Amino acid sequence: MKVAIMGYGVVGSGVAEVIGKNAEVIAKKTGILPELSHILDIRDFPGDPFASFLTKEFADILEDDETGIVVETMGGLEPAFTFVSACLERGKHVVTSNKELVAKKGDVLLALAEKHNVNFLFEASVGGGIPIIRPLIRCLAGNRIQEIAGILNGTTNFILTKMIMEDMDFADALALAQKKGYAEKDPTADVAGIDACRKICILASLAFGTHIYPDGVPTKGITDVTLDDVKAAAAAGYVIKLIASAKQLENGRLALRVSPTLVKKESMLAGVNGVFNACLVRGDAVGDVLLYGQGAGKLATASAVVGDVIDCAAHDSARIRFGWSKAEDGVLEAPGAVPTVLFARLKNADKAAVAAALPGASCLDGENGETLVITAQAPAGALEEALAEFHPVTVLPVAAY
Ligand code: HSE
């Protein structure tokens, strides 16, 4: 079965490279020899080793009956959604690395794939090269998933690591992440937490079986994190990581959030540095599972795409089911009602007043007369209101893992 690629950027060119250099190894292991048919891109790539496959016409892929699998690595919602829909309707399997497409249209595209008896696979859309979607839907299928928490954006983890360990400033670290091909075309999606939000929505939709749209998820990126925050967190025994989380509460509703978060120094997530991602999955039978690997980058992400391509070829006439249905109202808990622990940096605070306003909170002395507060667990809205009286410099959630 022949494979076409739509979008010859960082990931698309990585897919061509991996297929080009590993085809024989793949064939030996799986009995499937992936063969390229076309590469769609509006740009010219003179002298490129795959130049003979390049086309600017989508119809060359759509109309080619020998092309049974289409890889979408264009990114963005359009024209990706239109092209992917057309391929599924033509009975072609589709593999994508496009987080935005899956997070916003996953339910629609899976329904379309089902209607046309083909597969729509998206392992590369979360965690780059880390196998996370397949383990979640297959290996952990016997569990009720209770919680998922992850470092799901390689660019921001790379930036935070460079800032903390090498004292590099934010702009230089971002420029380096862009040069290495980790960042999105518009890196605002990385630093503002939007990319991590799309990814946790995909995982939560799979884990809890109902489409969760990114718009409903409170999302904060890393742009406001200062070195003083990092030092204050360290003084309290924590590191700051951009954590994307999804949890089923006791009342059955879901709490999703993306935020710079204090993670205990001893936590496995605290040691995840650079472009690496990690995702903690808590199941009622298995307990905690941690999946770890390179979360972004050309070949790491291509590895996940090629795995899906092989799965499509192996399941040409069978469908891989996800149990991901349409969005339902009332699934998400109101953010202010979610039980939370908060960390705050307060200037010149009266500790007795803090203790009175926030029962159960612990206070310790920070630098320059600051008081560092870790609250007891309570609804986030009530804690934020109580802390507001003290005009905090910074307020961040504290993770329980
Ligand atoms: N920009 C994304 C990241 C790419 O940095 O994680 C991988 O999805």
Side-chain angles (χ1 to χ4, degrees), residues 160 164 219-234 236 238-243 257-263 339-346 358 371-378 380 383-384 387-388 392-401:
L160 286 174
I164 295 166
T219 298
K220 193 173 165 192
I222 63 163
T223 37
D224 294 336
V225 176
T226 63
L227 280 177
D228 286 343
D229 291 332
V230 169
K231 284 182 196 154
Y238 295 87
V239 293
I240 297 179
K241 293 287 182 188
L242 184 68
I243 299 287
R257 178 178 67 202
V258 177
S259 175
T261 301
L262 270 71
V263 176
T340 307
V341 175
L342 293 178
F343 163 83
R345 286 174 55 207
L346 309 180
L358 291 147
T371 301
L372 308 179
V373 181
I374 309 265
T375 71
Q377 182 170 287
L383 290 177
E384 279 159 11
L387 282 166
V393 183
T394 300
V395 178
L396 293 172
V398 180
Y401 25 81

Short mmCIF file of all heavy atoms in Angstrom, two decimals, residues 160 164 219-234 236 238-243 257-263 339-346 358 371-378 380 383-384 387-388 392-401:
data_model
loop_
_atom_site.label_atom_id
_atom_site.label_comp_id
_atom_site.label_asym_id
_atom_site.label_seq_id
_atom_site.Cartn_x
_atom_site.Cartn_y
_atom_site.Cartn_z
N LEU A 160 11.91 26.30 29.85
CA LEU A 160 12.02 26.35 31.33
C LEU A 160 13.34 25.71 31.78
O LEU A 160 14.02 26.23 32.67
CB LEU A 160 10.85 25.60 31.99
CG LEU A 160 9.48 26.30 31.97
CD1 LEU A 160 8.41 25.37 32.52
CD2 LEU A 160 9.50 27.60 32.76
N ILE A 164 16.23 27.67 33.83
CA ILE A 164 16.56 27.26 35.19
C ILE A 164 18.00 26.76 35.28
O ILE A 164 18.75 27.14 36.18
CB ILE A 164 15.59 26.15 35.68
CG1 ILE A 164 14.17 26.73 35.77
CG2 ILE A 164 16.02 25.57 37.02
CD1 ILE A 164 13.07 25.68 35.89
N THR A 219 -6.52 27.77 30.72
CA THR A 219 -5.18 27.56 30.16
C THR A 219 -4.28 28.75 30.41
O THR A 219 -4.63 29.89 30.07
CB THR A 219 -5.32 27.33 28.63
OG1 THR A 219 -6.11 26.17 28.42
CG2 THR A 219 -3.97 27.14 27.96
N LYS A 220 -3.15 28.48 31.02
CA LYS A 220 -2.17 29.53 31.28
C LYS A 220 -0.80 29.01 30.84
O LYS A 220 -0.45 27.87 31.14
CB LYS A 220 -2.17 29.79 32.79
CG LYS A 220 -1.46 31.03 33.21
CD LYS A 220 -1.69 31.26 34.70
CE LYS A 220 -0.69 32.27 35.19
NZ LYS A 220 -0.63 32.34 36.62
N GLY A 221 -0.05 29.83 30.14
CA GLY A 221 1.27 29.41 29.65
C GLY A 221 2.38 29.83 30.58
O GLY A 221 2.15 30.11 31.76
N ILE A 222 3.60 29.90 30.02
CA ILE A 222 4.77 30.14 30.88
C ILE A 222 5.31 31.57 30.79
O ILE A 222 6.31 31.88 31.42
CB ILE A 222 5.92 29.17 30.54
CG1 ILE A 222 6.43 29.38 29.11
CG2 ILE A 222 5.50 27.72 30.76
CD1 ILE A 222 7.80 28.74 28.86
N THR A 223 4.61 32.43 30.03
CA THR A 223 5.20 33.77 29.80
C THR A 223 5.36 34.59 31.08
O THR A 223 6.21 35.46 31.15
CB THR A 223 4.37 34.57 28.77
OG1 THR A 223 3.00 34.27 28.98
CG2 THR A 223 4.74 34.24 27.36
N ASP A 224 4.52 34.34 32.08
CA ASP A 224 4.62 35.13 33.32
C ASP A 224 5.51 34.49 34.37
O ASP A 224 5.66 35.02 35.47
CB ASP A 224 3.22 35.35 33.93
CG ASP A 224 2.35 36.21 33.02
OD1 ASP A 224 2.92 36.97 32.22
OD2 ASP A 224 1.10 36.10 33.11
N VAL A 225 6.07 33.32 34.08
CA VAL A 225 6.92 32.65 35.09
C VAL A 225 8.26 33.37 35.16
O VAL A 225 8.94 33.55 34.14
CB VAL A 225 7.14 31.16 34.72
CG1 VAL A 225 8.09 30.50 35.70
CG2 VAL A 225 5.81 30.42 34.68
N THR A 226 8.64 33.80 36.35
CA THR A 226 9.90 34.54 36.51
C THR A 226 10.94 33.66 37.23
O THR A 226 10.58 32.66 37.88
CB THR A 226 9.68 35.81 37.36
OG1 THR A 226 9.27 35.39 38.67
CG2 THR A 226 8.63 36.71 36.74
N LEU A 227 12.19 34.09 37.14
CA LEU A 227 13.23 33.35 37.87
C LEU A 227 12.99 33.42 39.37
O LEU A 227 13.32 32.50 40.11
CB LEU A 227 14.62 33.88 37.50
CG LEU A 227 15.16 33.36 36.17
CD1 LEU A 227 16.50 33.98 35.83
CD2 LEU A 227 15.30 31.82 36.16
N ASP A 228 12.38 34.53 39.84
CA ASP A 228 12.04 34.63 41.27
C ASP A 228 11.00 33.57 41.66
O ASP A 228 11.06 33.00 42.75
CB ASP A 228 11.52 36.03 41.61
CG ASP A 228 12.66 37.05 41.63
OD1 ASP A 228 13.84 36.62 41.72
OD2 ASP A 228 12.37 38.25 41.55
N ASP A 229 10.05 33.31 40.76
CA ASP A 229 9.07 32.25 41.03
C ASP A 229 9.79 30.90 41.14
O ASP A 229 9.49 30.10 42.04
CB ASP A 229 8.04 32.14 39.89
CG ASP A 229 7.11 33.33 39.81
OD1 ASP A 229 6.86 33.95 40.85
OD2 ASP A 229 6.62 33.60 38.69
N VAL A 230 10.71 30.68 40.20
CA VAL A 230 11.44 29.40 40.17
C VAL A 230 12.22 29.23 41.48
O VAL A 230 12.20 28.14 42.09
CB VAL A 230 12.39 29.37 38.94
CG1 VAL A 230 13.35 28.20 39.02
CG2 VAL A 230 11.58 29.34 37.66
N LYS A 231 12.88 30.32 41.93
CA LYS A 231 13.68 30.24 43.17
C LYS A 231 12.79 30.04 44.39
O LYS A 231 13.11 29.26 45.29
CB LYS A 231 14.50 31.52 43.35
CG LYS A 231 15.70 31.57 42.42
CD LYS A 231 16.50 32.84 42.68
CE LYS A 231 17.44 33.10 41.52
NZ LYS A 231 17.79 34.51 41.37
N ALA A 232 11.66 30.73 44.40
CA ALA A 232 10.75 30.59 45.55
C ALA A 232 10.19 29.17 45.60
O ALA A 232 10.10 28.56 46.69
CB ALA A 232 9.61 31.61 45.44
N ALA A 233 9.85 28.64 44.45
CA ALA A 233 9.35 27.25 44.41
C ALA A 233 10.43 26.30 44.92
O ALA A 233 10.15 25.38 45.71
CB ALA A 233 8.94 26.88 42.98
N ALA A 234 11.67 26.53 44.50
CA ALA A 234 12.78 25.67 44.93
C ALA A 234 12.96 25.73 46.43
O ALA A 234 13.18 24.70 47.10
CB ALA A 234 14.07 26.06 44.21
N ALA A 236 10.76 26.13 48.57
CA ALA A 236 9.67 25.37 49.21
C ALA A 236 9.74 23.87 48.87
O ALA A 236 8.88 23.10 49.29
CB ALA A 236 8.33 25.95 48.77
N TYR A 238 10.01 22.55 45.54
CA TYR A 238 9.29 22.23 44.30
C TYR A 238 10.05 22.72 43.06
O TYR A 238 10.91 23.60 43.16
CB TYR A 238 7.92 22.92 44.29
CG TYR A 238 6.96 22.43 45.36
CD1 TYR A 238 6.97 22.98 46.64
CD2 TYR A 238 6.05 21.42 45.08
CE1 TYR A 238 6.09 22.54 47.61
CE2 TYR A 238 5.16 20.97 46.04
CZ TYR A 238 5.19 21.53 47.32
OH TYR A 238 4.32 21.10 48.27
N VAL A 239 9.69 22.18 41.90
CA VAL A 239 10.10 22.78 40.63
C VAL A 239 8.83 23.18 39.87
O VAL A 239 7.76 22.62 40.11
CB VAL A 239 10.93 21.82 39.74
CG1 VAL A 239 12.27 21.50 40.36
CG2 VAL A 239 10.18 20.54 39.45
N ILE A 240 8.99 24.17 38.99
CA ILE A 240 7.82 24.62 38.21
C ILE A 240 7.85 23.96 36.84
O ILE A 240 8.85 24.03 36.12
CB ILE A 240 7.82 26.16 38.07
CG1 ILE A 240 7.69 26.81 39.45
CG2 ILE A 240 6.68 26.61 37.15
CD1 ILE A 240 7.71 28.33 39.44
N LYS A 241 6.76 23.32 36.49
CA LYS A 241 6.61 22.68 35.18
C LYS A 241 5.27 23.11 34.59
O LYS A 241 4.31 23.34 35.34
CB LYS A 241 6.61 21.15 35.33
CG LYS A 241 7.93 20.57 35.78
CD LYS A 241 8.95 20.62 34.66
CE LYS A 241 10.28 20.01 35.01
NZ LYS A 241 11.29 20.27 33.94
N LEU A 242 5.21 23.18 33.26
CA LEU A 242 3.92 23.44 32.63
C LEU A 242 3.17 22.11 32.58
O LEU A 242 3.51 21.21 31.80
CB LEU A 242 4.08 24.01 31.21
CG LEU A 242 2.74 24.38 30.56
CD1 LEU A 242 2.09 25.57 31.26
CD2 LEU A 242 2.89 24.68 29.08
N ILE A 243 2.17 21.99 33.43
CA ILE A 243 1.44 20.72 33.56
C ILE A 243 0.05 20.85 32.92
O ILE A 243 -0.68 21.81 33.18
CB ILE A 243 1.28 20.33 35.05
CG1 ILE A 243 2.64 20.14 35.72
CG2 ILE A 243 0.40 19.09 35.20
CD1 ILE A 243 3.40 18.89 35.34
N ARG A 257 -7.04 21.37 33.27
CA ARG A 257 -6.33 22.63 33.47
C ARG A 257 -4.97 22.54 32.81
O ARG A 257 -4.34 21.48 32.78
CB ARG A 257 -6.15 22.85 34.97
CG ARG A 257 -5.37 24.11 35.34
CD ARG A 257 -5.27 24.27 36.84
NE ARG A 257 -4.45 23.23 37.43
CZ ARG A 257 -4.50 22.84 38.70
NH1 ARG A 257 -5.35 23.40 39.53
NH2 ARG A 257 -3.72 21.89 39.15
N VAL A 258 -4.50 23.68 32.28
CA VAL A 258 -3.09 23.80 31.85
C VAL A 258 -2.53 24.99 32.60
O VAL A 258 -3.08 26.09 32.53
CB VAL A 258 -2.98 24.04 30.33
CG1 VAL A 258 -1.52 24.23 29.93
CG2 VAL A 258 -3.61 22.90 29.55
N SER A 259 -1.44 24.77 33.32
CA SER A 259 -0.86 25.88 34.10
C SER A 259 0.56 25.55 34.51
O SER A 259 0.87 24.37 34.76
CB SER A 259 -1.71 26.09 35.37
OG SER A 259 -1.10 27.07 36.19
N PRO A 260 1.41 26.58 34.62
CA PRO A 260 2.67 26.34 35.33
C PRO A 260 2.28 25.85 36.73
O PRO A 260 1.40 26.44 37.37
CB PRO A 260 3.33 27.72 35.39
CG PRO A 260 2.62 28.54 34.39
CD PRO A 260 1.22 27.99 34.27
N THR A 261 2.90 24.80 37.17
CA THR A 261 2.45 24.11 38.39
C THR A 261 3.66 23.73 39.22
O THR A 261 4.71 23.36 38.67
CB THR A 261 1.67 22.83 37.98
OG1 THR A 261 0.56 23.23 37.18
CG2 THR A 261 1.19 22.03 39.17
N LEU A 262 3.52 23.82 40.54
CA LEU A 262 4.61 23.35 41.41
C LEU A 262 4.52 21.84 41.56
O LEU A 262 3.47 21.30 41.92
CB LEU A 262 4.50 24.01 42.80
CG LEU A 262 5.25 25.34 42.92
CD1 LEU A 262 4.55 26.42 42.13
CD2 LEU A 262 5.42 25.75 44.37
N VAL A 263 5.65 21.20 41.25
CA VAL A 263 5.73 19.74 41.34
C VAL A 263 6.84 19.43 42.35
O VAL A 263 7.92 20.03 42.29
CB VAL A 263 6.12 19.17 39.94
CG1 VAL A 263 6.33 17.68 40.02
CG2 VAL A 263 5.07 19.52 38.91
N PRO A 339 -11.38 21.18 43.65
CA PRO A 339 -10.50 21.11 44.82
C PRO A 339 -9.04 21.27 44.39
O PRO A 339 -8.57 20.56 43.50
CB PRO A 339 -10.74 19.70 45.37
CG PRO A 339 -12.04 19.28 44.78
CD PRO A 339 -12.17 19.97 43.46
N THR A 340 -8.36 22.21 45.00
CA THR A 340 -7.03 22.61 44.53
C THR A 340 -6.14 22.97 45.72
O THR A 340 -6.64 23.40 46.77
CB THR A 340 -7.18 23.88 43.64
OG1 THR A 340 -8.14 23.61 42.62
CG2 THR A 340 -5.88 24.29 42.98
N VAL A 341 -4.84 22.83 45.54
CA VAL A 341 -3.87 23.37 46.50
C VAL A 341 -3.12 24.47 45.76
O VAL A 341 -2.70 24.28 44.61
CB VAL A 341 -2.88 22.28 46.97
CG1 VAL A 341 -1.79 22.88 47.86
CG2 VAL A 341 -3.62 21.16 47.70
N LEU A 342 -2.96 25.64 46.39
CA LEU A 342 -2.27 26.75 45.73
C LEU A 342 -1.01 27.14 46.47
O LEU A 342 -0.93 27.03 47.70
CB LEU A 342 -3.19 27.97 45.62
CG LEU A 342 -4.42 27.84 44.70
CD1 LEU A 342 -5.25 29.12 44.74
CD2 LEU A 342 -4.00 27.52 43.27
N PHE A 343 -0.05 27.65 45.70
CA PHE A 343 1.18 28.24 46.23
C PHE A 343 1.11 29.74 45.94
O PHE A 343 0.68 30.13 44.85
CB PHE A 343 2.38 27.63 45.50
CG PHE A 343 3.67 28.40 45.63
CD1 PHE A 343 4.49 28.25 46.73
CD2 PHE A 343 4.08 29.28 44.62
CE1 PHE A 343 5.69 28.95 46.84
CE2 PHE A 343 5.27 29.98 44.72
CZ PHE A 343 6.08 29.81 45.83
N ALA A 344 1.51 30.55 46.91
CA ALA A 344 1.50 32.00 46.66
C ALA A 344 2.74 32.65 47.25
O ALA A 344 3.23 32.22 48.31
CB ALA A 344 0.25 32.63 47.25
N ARG A 345 3.23 33.65 46.55
CA ARG A 345 4.31 34.51 47.08
C ARG A 345 3.66 35.81 47.55
O ARG A 345 3.03 36.51 46.74
CB ARG A 345 5.33 34.83 45.98
CG ARG A 345 6.23 33.70 45.60
CD ARG A 345 7.10 34.08 44.40
NE ARG A 345 7.85 35.29 44.61
CZ ARG A 345 8.25 36.11 43.63
NH1 ARG A 345 7.98 35.83 42.37
NH2 ARG A 345 8.94 37.20 43.91
N LEU A 346 3.82 36.10 48.84
CA LEU A 346 3.21 37.32 49.38
C LEU A 346 4.31 38.24 49.87
O LEU A 346 5.29 37.80 50.48
CB LEU A 346 2.28 37.00 50.55
CG LEU A 346 1.22 35.91 50.32
CD1 LEU A 346 0.39 35.72 51.59
CD2 LEU A 346 0.31 36.26 49.16
N LEU A 358 -6.72 31.55 55.61
CA LEU A 358 -6.52 30.29 54.87
C LEU A 358 -6.23 29.15 55.84
O LEU A 358 -5.08 28.74 56.01
CB LEU A 358 -5.36 30.46 53.88
CG LEU A 358 -5.65 31.41 52.73
CD1 LEU A 358 -4.42 32.15 52.29
CD2 LEU A 358 -6.26 30.64 51.56
N THR A 371 6.65 35.99 52.11
CA THR A 371 6.09 34.79 52.75
C THR A 371 5.62 33.85 51.64
O THR A 371 4.93 34.29 50.72
CB THR A 371 4.89 35.18 53.64
OG1 THR A 371 5.35 36.11 54.61
CG2 THR A 371 4.29 33.97 54.33
N LEU A 372 6.04 32.61 51.75
CA LEU A 372 5.62 31.60 50.75
C LEU A 372 4.54 30.75 51.39
O LEU A 372 4.74 30.18 52.47
CB LEU A 372 6.81 30.72 50.34
CG LEU A 372 8.07 31.48 49.90
CD1 LEU A 372 9.19 30.50 49.54
CD2 LEU A 372 7.77 32.41 48.72
N VAL A 373 3.40 30.71 50.74
CA VAL A 373 2.23 30.02 51.32
C VAL A 373 1.89 28.79 50.48
O VAL A 373 1.86 28.87 49.25
CB VAL A 373 1.00 30.97 51.32
CG1 VAL A 373 -0.21 30.28 51.93
CG2 VAL A 373 1.32 32.26 52.05
N ILE A 374 1.66 27.69 51.15
CA ILE A 374 1.05 26.53 50.49
C ILE A 374 -0.28 26.31 51.21
O ILE A 374 -0.29 26.04 52.42
CB ILE A 374 1.91 25.25 50.62
CG1 ILE A 374 3.36 25.49 50.19
CG2 ILE A 374 1.25 24.08 49.88
CD1 ILE A 374 3.73 25.16 48.80
N THR A 375 -1.37 26.41 50.48
CA THR A 375 -2.68 26.30 51.13
C THR A 375 -3.04 24.83 51.38
O THR A 375 -2.42 23.92 50.82
CB THR A 375 -3.78 26.90 50.22
OG1 THR A 375 -3.98 26.03 49.11
CG2 THR A 375 -3.43 28.29 49.74
N ALA A 376 -4.06 24.64 52.17
CA ALA A 376 -4.69 23.31 52.25
C ALA A 376 -5.57 23.15 51.01
O ALA A 376 -5.80 24.13 50.28
CB ALA A 376 -5.55 23.22 53.51
N GLN A 377 -6.04 21.95 50.75
CA GLN A 377 -6.90 21.76 49.57
C GLN A 377 -8.30 22.32 49.82
O GLN A 377 -8.90 22.06 50.88
CB GLN A 377 -6.99 20.27 49.23
CG GLN A 377 -7.84 20.03 47.99
CD GLN A 377 -7.76 18.60 47.50
OE1 GLN A 377 -6.74 18.18 46.97
NE2 GLN A 377 -8.83 17.86 47.72
N ALA A 378 -8.77 23.10 48.87
CA ALA A 378 -10.11 23.70 48.97
C ALA A 378 -10.53 24.11 47.56
O ALA A 378 -9.70 24.11 46.65
CB ALA A 378 -10.07 24.92 49.89
N ALA A 380 -10.88 26.03 44.28
CA ALA A 380 -9.92 27.01 43.77
C ALA A 380 -10.43 28.44 43.92
O ALA A 380 -9.68 29.36 44.28
CB ALA A 380 -9.60 26.71 42.32
N LEU A 383 -10.07 29.77 47.46
CA LEU A 383 -8.66 30.03 47.79
C LEU A 383 -8.16 31.30 47.12
O LEU A 383 -7.48 32.13 47.73
CB LEU A 383 -7.79 28.85 47.33
CG LEU A 383 -7.94 27.53 48.08
CD1 LEU A 383 -7.06 26.46 47.44
CD2 LEU A 383 -7.58 27.69 49.55
N GLU A 384 -8.52 31.47 45.85
CA GLU A 384 -8.05 32.66 45.11
C GLU A 384 -8.60 33.92 45.74
O GLU A 384 -7.90 34.93 45.88
CB GLU A 384 -8.49 32.56 43.64
CG GLU A 384 -7.56 31.68 42.83
CD GLU A 384 -8.18 31.15 41.55
OE1 GLU A 384 -9.26 31.62 41.15
OE2 GLU A 384 -7.57 30.23 40.95
N LEU A 387 -6.72 34.61 48.98
CA LEU A 387 -5.35 35.09 48.72
C LEU A 387 -5.33 36.51 48.16
O LEU A 387 -4.38 37.27 48.40
CB LEU A 387 -4.63 34.14 47.74
CG LEU A 387 -4.11 32.83 48.33
CD1 LEU A 387 -3.73 31.85 47.22
CD2 LEU A 387 -2.90 33.10 49.25
N ALA A 388 -6.38 36.87 47.42
CA ALA A 388 -6.40 38.19 46.76
C ALA A 388 -6.24 39.33 47.77
O ALA A 388 -5.66 40.37 47.48
CB ALA A 388 -7.69 38.35 45.97
N PRO A 392 -1.10 38.90 46.18
CA PRO A 392 0.04 38.02 45.91
C PRO A 392 0.83 38.42 44.67
O PRO A 392 0.25 38.91 43.70
CB PRO A 392 -0.61 36.64 45.70
CG PRO A 392 -2.03 36.93 45.37
CD PRO A 392 -2.40 38.22 46.02
N VAL A 393 2.16 38.19 44.71
CA VAL A 393 3.01 38.44 43.54
C VAL A 393 2.72 37.35 42.51
O VAL A 393 2.64 37.62 41.31
CB VAL A 393 4.51 38.35 43.95
CG1 VAL A 393 5.42 38.67 42.78
CG2 VAL A 393 4.80 39.22 45.15
N THR A 394 2.56 36.13 42.98
CA THR A 394 2.35 34.97 42.10
C THR A 394 1.43 33.98 42.80
O THR A 394 1.57 33.78 44.02
CB THR A 394 3.70 34.25 41.85
OG1 THR A 394 4.59 35.16 41.24
CG2 THR A 394 3.54 33.03 40.97
N VAL A 395 0.52 33.39 42.05
CA VAL A 395 -0.28 32.28 42.58
C VAL A 395 -0.23 31.15 41.55
O VAL A 395 -0.52 31.38 40.37
CB VAL A 395 -1.76 32.68 42.80
CG1 VAL A 395 -2.56 31.48 43.31
CG2 VAL A 395 -1.87 33.84 43.77
N LEU A 396 0.18 29.96 41.99
CA LEU A 396 0.24 28.82 41.07
C LEU A 396 -0.31 27.58 41.75
O LEU A 396 -0.16 27.44 42.98
CB LEU A 396 1.71 28.54 40.67
CG LEU A 396 2.41 29.60 39.81
CD1 LEU A 396 3.88 29.26 39.67
CD2 LEU A 396 1.75 29.71 38.44
N PRO A 397 -0.89 26.67 40.99
CA PRO A 397 -1.35 25.42 41.61
C PRO A 397 -0.18 24.52 42.01
O PRO A 397 0.92 24.63 41.46
CB PRO A 397 -2.18 24.76 40.53
CG PRO A 397 -1.82 25.42 39.26
CD PRO A 397 -1.23 26.75 39.56
N VAL A 398 -0.45 23.67 42.98
CA VAL A 398 0.54 22.68 43.43
C VAL A 398 0.01 21.30 43.09
O VAL A 398 -1.14 20.98 43.39
CB VAL A 398 0.72 22.79 44.98
CG1 VAL A 398 1.75 21.78 45.47
CG2 VAL A 398 1.15 24.22 45.36
N ALA A 399 0.86 20.49 42.47
CA ALA A 399 0.43 19.15 42.05
C ALA A 399 0.47 18.19 43.22
O ALA A 399 1.30 18.34 44.14
CB ALA A 399 1.32 18.64 40.93
N ALA A 400 -0.38 17.17 43.16
CA ALA A 400 -0.41 16.17 44.23
C ALA A 400 0.45 14.96 43.87
O ALA A 400 0.46 13.98 44.59
CB ALA A 400 -1.85 15.74 44.46
N TYR A 401 1.18 14.99 42.72
CA TYR A 401 1.97 13.83 42.32
C TYR A 401 3.42 14.24 42.21
O TYR A 401 3.75 15.40 42.12
CB TYR A 401 1.49 13.31 40.95
CG TYR A 401 0.84 14.36 40.10
CD1 TYR A 401 1.60 15.26 39.37
CD2 TYR A 401 -0.57 14.51 40.09
CE1 TYR A 401 1.01 16.26 38.62
CE2 TYR A 401 -1.16 15.51 39.35
CZ TYR A 401 -0.37 16.38 38.63
OH TYR A 401 -0.98 17.37 37.90
#
